[in-house]
Amino acid sequence: MLDGNFQHDQNIELDEVKSRLLYLVTEELWDELEEEVVSFNFGGQPISIFAEDVWDFKPYRVGTEYTTLNFKFSDNYVAPSLLIELKSIALAFIYHSQYAYRINSVISKVNSLKRLAISLTKSGIETFDGLTIDCIRKLIKKDSYLPREVDLAPLNSLNDLSDYLPFKTNFVEKLTLKKLKVLQPDKEQHPVIPLRIYLAALDTYTNTVQYWHSFKKQLEQAIQDAIDYEHNQIRRMLKRLRNKECGVGQVFNNNDKKYHEFVSKLNKHQVPIADYEGNPKWDTIWRDVQPQVRTDFFEKFVPRKIGNKTFDSHRELKSFCLHLDRVCRYLVLCLSGMRSNELLQITPDSGAQVITLDGIDIHLFHTKQQKITLGYQGYDDVYVTTKNGHLAYELLNSLNRPVRNWLGCKNQKTWLLNNLQHFQQPKSINRSGNILQSLTRLFSSKKQEFSIELNSSDVEMLRRSDPEKEFNIGDKWHLTPHQLRRSLAYYLIGMQLADYPQLKQQFSHYSIAMTMYYARNASSFQKMFHDLEKEKVRQQAQLYSRLAGKAYSGEKLGGGQGKNMYSESYIDRDISSKYYEKEIKSGRKHIHALAPGMYCINNTCSMRIGIEIGECVDCDWAVIESGAYAQAVRQESINILEGLQSKGQLTADIIAFQEVRIRSAEKILNDLDISYIPYQSSEWLITSTI
């Protein structure tokens, strides 16, 4: 079933629509199905019908995702019967599947099956009916079809959807690349950015963003002025050309293909270049072709000073803003761990938010997840970031807003990120490959503010973090966005600034194993860098000292050890960070993070891999200074209970487990004197438990 923000108007009987479509599909009444409506707008009016090659599900859009299912085959012929079956599969995913799908996910599944449909048609097979594993193996053997890992999920779904399809498949077992005898290519493994380069970039770009953030309004206005300037100059040059006040060479570049296309179309319609603005076809042809206009004949750009820079030309301004845009992209990815395609999906107005827990501001990014895994459809779309990450996003948003506004006025689709180089025809960026290109250029800039050439220390570190790869002294470091994600995991684990459960939540990983793989070899990182080991101990000592200071000043702490600390007397006792640093170095004391605001002083603690809050409430080793995690766990359990109850899927085991989490969380809140409304078990809970 399709999932999204859209709720059908009451005047649309969705169940009746679904039943009608299902009846026509399973009975193979194709003539009647051709004119049947498959999607509706907010008011209940039809948007798309079955016979069309493009279906639009815009009301179901989440964020800025695509909403159109395209059944066209521009370069290939596909049997009409296969096309009908493809559309039937799409309807099954959208209206009948037991799983909730985003429209982007359905589009991806249909596109995967289109590849198979092309191959079947070329082999003389005009239906999915009776499709077997042997049939697919034959296609593979003939080199007419090479399935990828992403192609297998929609194929395996066909058996689950069989009651809603006009054909039957004969996959008696789950398809895998191994069973299909397809060698799975080795996935590209992204190396860890050497610490020297990682810290230099972080420090340099943070300083840049902090400085220019205070000028974001002026920069935004300057970009808007640059857009207006270019378009005013273009209108001026075209007016002169059409009135025979200048030559063609002053307006167009002779080597521009679009210029030749423009002239050719003018000649075809017998429209003179100098028409004295009297022929409407001139404007139509101009809008259709849109050749580039030369900028060296533009009137002088009025210089302007912003911050510590003076821009003497609009090219200078664009070049600077383009660089600043790339710096902001880098910091947003670096300080959150989000994927590059998720950065594209952020809704500009609400992508960055701040919540306050226990008086502490928590900065968040809300994205739209792309990594869909078994049993997970991307609802967990929140990344925690830092204040500097938030500043980078705000500056990034300001830099891109003028282009978005311009595109919006032209009724064109807009995304968070845009091209800040070509203002004659501004464009939004909707491919993650563009993120890769922009960051690669950021690191390959001739004006690089730090060295990206590998030295001996860099190479030695890389041999430990990525022993399967080869690096040489003097090589230039080539950056990709995913390196930022892996480097964040590696350094957070290596410095013990976070543990696996925290990192799993931050990266939205399906399993702890995936998170541990991202941070692989991080232990060698600790052994190699003595100065980082010292930094880790220093931070642990500061944490211990801060907790002791809270207990000394009468602030309540939770957990068994936290209560002990609160009840102890610290008079005449050294609770400085220097003291705890000595104790930690000697091995007499230890502390590590369990969750936000929750710590353990047991160096053999097994809770680092999976936290059970019930086991930490009164644990003799636990220290809890914040109720943030307890509040989150409590609300999550309440949502699970009430959600499963509404679907009639509650079991006694689930109730018992979630009740323990809720009561444990509430006990922590009580211990910390944090007010809350106690959760009252409903009658159905009591009955189900009994």
Side-chain angles (χ1 to χ4, degrees):
M1 186 70 180
L2 203 60
D3 176 44
N5 293 333
F6 175 66
Q7 294 294 327
H8 279 291
D9 199 295
Q10 290 182 353
N11 62 2
I12 302 176
E13 295 295 339
L14 187 57
D15 288 339
E16 290 182 15
V17 171
K18 290 162 55 179
S19 298
R20 172 71 176 164
L21 290 171
L22 179 59
Y23 169 74
L24 295 175
V25 167
T26 54
E27 295 298 321
E28 301 183 33
L29 301 174
W30 307 128
D31 290 340
E32 294 181 51
L33 186 61
E34 289 281 291
E35 300 305 316
E36 207 66 29
V37 178
V38 294
S39 67
F40 304 86
N41 65 15
F42 286 101
Q45 290 80 28
I47 299 177
S48 306
I49 62 173
F50 187 90
E52 294 174 333
D53 288 334
V54 178
W55 296 354
D56 193 356
F57 286 84
K58 189 173 182 180
Y60 285 93
R61 182 169 68 181
V62 176
T64 52
E65 67 184 355
Y66 287 112
T67 63
T68 52
L69 277 164
N70 192 328
F71 296 98
K72 294 179 181 179
F73 294 84
S74 55
D75 300 323
N76 296 278
Y77 170 75
V78 168
S81 53
L82 277 169
L83 179 58
I84 290 174
E85 289 176 357
L86 269 174
K87 291 182 175 182
S88 302
I89 294 170
L91 288 179
F93 278 124
I94 292 166
Y95 287 126
H96 306 300
S97 174
Q98 62 177 311
Y99 302 108
Y101 293 106
R102 294 268 178 90
I103 184 61
N104 246 19
S105 181
V106 177
I107 292 170
S108 175
K109 292 177 186 299
V110 169
N111 288 341
S112 289
L113 292 170
K114 283 170 71 174
R115 294 181 65 246
L116 178 58
I118 292 169
S119 179
L120 289 171
T121 299
K122 288 179 178 177
S123 300
I125 302 171
E126 298 188 354
T127 178
F128 288 112
D129 191 38
L131 200 60
T132 64
I133 190 170
D134 288 333
C135 176
I136 295 178
R137 280 176 180 163
K138 287 177 183 177
L139 296 176
I140 295 169
K141 195 171 183 180
K142 290 194 301 183
D143 290 331
S144 68
Y145 181 60
L146 184 62
R148 306 158 298 177
E149 190 73 45
V150 71
D151 296 319
L152 300 183
L155 274 172
N156 285 320
S157 298
L158 297 182
N159 275 346
D160 297 334
L161 299 171
S162 59
D163 291 341
Y164 314 110
L165 300 173
F167 59 85
K168 300 290 182 184
T169 56
N170 293 319
F171 300 139
V172 294
E173 55 185 332
K174 185 178 179 181
L175 298 180
T176 64
L177 292 180
K178 186 177 181 180
K179 289 174 184 174
L180 292 173
K181 299 180 180 178
V182 174
L183 290 176
Q184 188 168 5
D186 292 335
K187 293 182 179 179
E188 180 190 358
Q189 302 302 335
H190 302 276
V192 173
I193 302 171
L195 183 66
R196 176 188 60 80
I197 297 175
Y198 187 78
L199 293 180
L202 187 60
D203 184 54
T204 301
Y205 298 153
T206 297
N207 290 338
T208 300
V209 164
Q210 286 178 342
Y211 178 80
W212 287 104
H213 182 270
S214 59
F215 299 100
K216 65 180 187 295
K217 289 296 182 185
Q218 294 96 313
L219 288 169
E220 181 179 334
Q221 185 59 52
I223 292 175
Q224 181 63 60
D225 292 345
I227 294 174
D228 294 341
Y229 166 80
E230 285 208 19
H231 286 93
N232 287 336
Q233 292 302 310
I234 290 169
R235 284 192 290 270
R236 183 183 67 83
M237 294 297 293
L238 293 181
K239 183 180 179 69
R240 293 186 64 205
L241 178 67
R242 294 177 73 175
N243 285 282
K244 220 169 185 177
E245 295 173 6
C246 68
V248 175
Q250 290 177 280
V251 181
F252 301 111
N253 288 312
N254 192 47
N255 58 358
D256 179 18
K257 291 181 180 179
K258 285 194 171 185
Y259 157 64
H260 293 288
E261 181 186 350
F262 174 64
V263 171
S264 175
K265 285 193 173 184
L266 286 177
N267 292 334
K268 181 180 177 181
H269 291 87
Q270 297 182 335
V271 178
I273 286 183
D275 70 331
Y276 296 96
E277 302 182 73
N279 196 324
K281 282 188 178 179
W282 203 103
D283 297 288
T284 303
I285 295 170
W286 167 260
R287 285 194 297 270
D288 289 344
V289 181
Q290 291 192 333
Q292 286 287 317
V293 172
R294 294 181 64 168
T295 60
D296 46 350
F297 289 95
F298 282 5
E299 291 176 337
K300 186 172 176 59
F301 180 80
V302 178
R304 66 172 62 201
K305 182 177 175 62
I306 304 176
N308 57 13
K309 291 189 74 69
T310 299
F311 303 99
D312 294 318
S313 70
H314 78 292
R315 286 195 196 93
E316 231 181 282
L317 175 65
K318 288 197 297 183
S319 177
F320 174 77
C321 289
L322 182 62
H323 173 76
L324 194 54
D325 173 88
R326 291 168 179 167
V327 166
C328 292
R329 294 183 196 184
Y330 181 96
L331 271 191
V332 168
L333 293 173
C334 180
L335 296 175
S336 66
M338 75 170 71
R339 303 173 183 92
S340 57
N341 60 343
E342 290 170 331
L343 176 56
L344 293 176
Q345 300 287 346
I346 289 182
T347 303
D349 293 336
S350 56
Q353 298 179 14
V354 182
I355 62 172
T356 303
L357 292 174
D358 296 340
I360 301 172
D361 287 342
I362 309 295
H363 298 274
L364 306 173
F365 289 138
H366 290 262
T367 74
K368 184 228 166 262
Q369 288 287 353
Q370 295 294 313
K371 280 283 182 78
I372 306 300
T373 52
L374 181 64
Y376 173 70
Q377 296 300 331
Y379 290 106
D380 191 6
D381 59 354
V382 177
Y383 285 90
V384 179
T385 187
T386 65
K387 183 178 180 181
N388 288 323
H390 195 119
L391 293 179
Y393 176 85
E394 288 183 337
L395 181 53
L396 183 69
N397 200 5
S398 293
L399 291 171
N400 284 271
R401 190 176 290 114
V403 179
R404 287 201 305 272
N405 292 342
W406 191 91
L407 292 170
C409 291
K410 303 291 182 182
N411 294 320
Q412 296 185 40
K413 188 172 183 177
T414 61
W415 299 68
L416 170 67
L417 303 181
N418 302 273
N419 191 313
L420 300 183
Q421 195 167 13
H422 304 294
F423 285 167
Q424 292 191 25
Q425 291 105 36
K427 292 179 181 178
S428 266
I429 293 173
N430 54 20
R431 291 178 60 252
S432 57
N434 294 115
I435 304 285
L436 167 62
Q437 292 168 5
S438 68
L439 296 191
T440 300
R441 289 175 184 142
L442 182 64
F443 261 44
S444 60
S445 170
K446 293 179 181 178
K447 298 179 181 178
Q448 191 57 258
E449 297 165 279
F450 49 89
S451 173
I452 57 170
E453 288 188 0
L454 299 179
N455 59 32
S456 57
S457 296
D458 298 331
V459 171
E460 180 60 27
M461 189 216 122
L462 288 165
R463 283 175 185 158
R464 293 178 179 271
S465 65
D466 294 274
E468 71 281 4
K469 293 182 178 292
E470 185 175 336
F471 301 94
N472 300 302
I473 296 173
D475 287 351
K476 289 189 176 181
W477 186 258
H478 296 285
L479 179 72
T480 64
H482 218 84
Q483 289 174 12
L484 295 172
R485 191 168 162 84
R486 190 187 163 211
S487 298
L488 180 63
Y490 184 80
Y491 290 126
L492 287 178
I493 292 295
M495 294 185 189
Q496 289 197 5
L497 298 176
D499 284 303
Y500 289 119
Q502 293 171 296
L503 210 57
K504 173 181 177 291
Q505 177 73 18
Q506 175 75 359
F507 280 18
S508 302
H509 279 163
Y510 183 58
S511 68
I512 283 287
M514 190 186 299
T515 306
M516 294 176 76
Y517 181 70
Y518 263 53
R520 64 191 182 279
N521 302 325
S523 58
S524 66
F525 169 77
Q526 297 173 44
K527 298 169 189 172
M528 180 181 169
F529 286 95
H530 181 61
D531 56 334
L532 289 171
E533 184 66 23
K534 286 169 63 178
E535 174 64 17
K536 181 186 74 174
V537 171
R538 189 182 69 82
Q539 292 200 22
Q540 289 176 337
Q542 286 182 337
L543 171 60
Y544 226 129
S545 176
R546 188 181 80 234
L547 294 173
K550 282 193 170 187
Y552 177 70
S553 62
E555 291 187 49
K556 283 193 172 183
L557 298 172
Q561 181 62 24
K563 292 174 188 174
N564 289 339
M565 291 173 70
Y566 177 72
S567 62
E568 287 180 10
S569 172
Y570 287 88
I571 298 174
D572 298 327
R573 284 179 54 182
D574 188 355
I575 58 171
S576 68
S577 59
K578 290 291 183 184
Y579 164 75
Y580 285 109
E581 198 168 329
K582 291 177 184 176
E583 292 292 291
I584 291 170
K585 282 180 181 177
S586 68
R588 289 188 292 271
K589 290 193 181 296
H590 167 87
I591 191 166
H592 65 265
L594 288 172
M598 293 179 62
Y599 310 97
C600 180
I601 63 170
N602 182 1
N603 60 6
T604 62
C605 170
S606 62
M607 288 287 111
R608 293 188 186 194
I609 299 301
I611 301 169
E612 284 305 332
I613 196 168
E615 296 186 36
C616 297
V617 175
D618 291 315
C619 173
D620 290 339
W621 306 98
V623 184
I624 303 172
E625 70 166 334
S626 166
Y629 182 73
Q631 288 171 319
V633 166
R634 178 175 175 272
Q635 190 58 52
E636 179 186 44
S637 291
I638 291 172
N639 292 343
I640 290 171
L641 287 174
E642 294 181 349
L644 291 178
Q645 190 272 337
S646 67
K647 297 176 183 177
Q649 297 175 357
L650 268 179
T651 65
D653 289 345
I654 292 174
I655 294 169
F657 177 72
Q658 300 301 341
E659 276 273 356
V660 168
R661 295 181 85 211
I662 291 171
R663 301 311 167 204
S664 299
E666 289 183 347
K667 190 172 190 310
I668 289 173
L669 298 178
N670 284 331
D671 290 344
L672 297 175
D673 286 341
I674 296 174
S675 61
Y676 66 95
I677 300 174
Y679 180 65
Q680 300 296 328
S681 298
S682 303
E683 297 252 340
W684 52 265
L685 264 182
I686 298 168
T687 305
S688 300
T689 307
I690 293 172

